Amino acid sequence: MIDLSFKNNKEPEGGTLLISDPFLDEAYFRRSVILLCEHSENASFGLVLNNFLDVDLHELDHDFPDIHARISVGGPVETQSLYYIHSFSNIEDSFEVRDGLYFGGSFSQLKSLIEESPSNGAKIRFFLGYSGWDRGQLANEILEHSWIVVDNISNKEILGTLDDNFWQHCMEKQGKEFKTISRFPLNPNHN
């Protein structure tokens, strides 16, 4: 018999991902995958990886190189601010989220790397806003089965996804019971 409960035993930490419950009905987090950038008992923050906008960064900042730099809504906090993750270990003031994946740092340095080689654009993801949790909030949401915590999604998948089915892809990688859950319709009445 397959257990269809939405839970696992992994603990959150910086660099892990949060996959939302298939029936979580909250605008920012419906069928979302979040990269948890920092996590402590006092607070956590992360970026929604699969809530894309139909706008390119060059359209918002005409000084930015005209590469395909799709932007995601990272969450409901500070939605007027631009955040980014990348795989460049030499960007000043960035910090390592997980092995080989970095958050933030010098925007002008990042821009220069893209101007030097437009292919470097594939090593960066951009976000407007972020997702944040106060003390105990994320732990409670995990206990309520709003999220499962996973660590088996590669940096290449995180940086390379432009896929609107990224939530389903990540769910399917969690095993047989999650593969079944990943195919549930968003509205159970549409079954």
Side-chain angles (χ1 to χ4, degrees):
M1 181 167 197
I2 297 175
D3 178 15
L4 293 179
S5 59
F6 191 74
K7 63 181 178 179
N8 68 1
N9 295 319
K10 186 150 296 294
E11 293 294 322
E13 60 183 70
T16 57
L17 277 74
L18 304 173
I19 302 176
S20 70
D21 173 287
F23 304 116
L24 186 63
D25 193 25
E26 206 286 330
Y28 281 100
F29 302 117
R30 183 178 297 121
R31 299 226 169 162
S32 64
V33 179
I34 297 177
L35 171 65
L36 200 54
C37 296
E38 280 192 332
H39 174 72
S40 72
E41 68 177 48
N42 293 323
S44 303
F45 87 91
L47 301 165
V48 177
L49 296 171
N50 61 325
N51 189 359
F52 299 106
L53 295 171
D54 290 326
V55 66
D56 204 74
L57 184 55
H58 179 73
E59 294 172 53
L60 299 178
D61 180 355
H62 297 294
D63 292 332
F64 195 80
D66 190 7
I67 61 166
H68 184 64
R70 197 168 177 195
I71 300 173
S72 297
V73 176
V77 183
E78 294 188 23
T79 57
Q80 300 300 309
S81 296
L82 184 70
Y83 300 92
Y84 41 94
I85 55 174
H86 53 85
S87 62
F88 300 108
S89 61
N90 58 341
I91 300 289
E92 293 173 19
D93 300 323
S94 65
F95 69 86
E96 194 167 33
V97 172
R98 64 195 275 183
D99 191 31
L101 190 64
Y102 302 85
F103 176 86
S106 168
F107 187 73
S108 60
Q109 195 177 359
L110 196 69
K111 185 177 162 185
S112 293
L113 285 170
I114 294 171
E115 288 169 343
E116 290 169 18
S117 176
S119 65
N120 281 332
K123 300 175 183 178
I124 307 164
R125 289 276 316 270
F126 295 95
F127 305 86
L128 287 175
Y130 68 90
S131 302
W133 294 265
D134 289 329
R135 183 182 185 92
Q137 187 179 5
L138 180 57
N140 287 337
E141 290 179 13
I142 291 170
L143 284 174
E144 293 168 353
H145 307 294
S146 296
W147 308 99
I148 58 168
V149 180
V150 303
D151 63 0
N152 64 340
I153 309 300
S154 71
N155 291 351
K156 183 177 180 179
E157 290 168 295
I158 291 169
L159 290 171
T161 188
L162 295 175
D163 185 1
D164 291 327
N165 295 317
F166 191 58
W167 177 87
Q168 183 174 3
H169 166 78
C170 293
M171 285 287 286
E172 289 178 351
K173 287 188 74 169
Q174 307 318 308
K176 189 174 185 177
E177 66 273 13
F178 293 103
K179 189 171 187 173
T180 301
I181 291 171
S182 77
R183 297 198 173 121
F184 286 177
L186 188 56
N187 182 337
N189 294 325
H190 294 156
N191 197 4

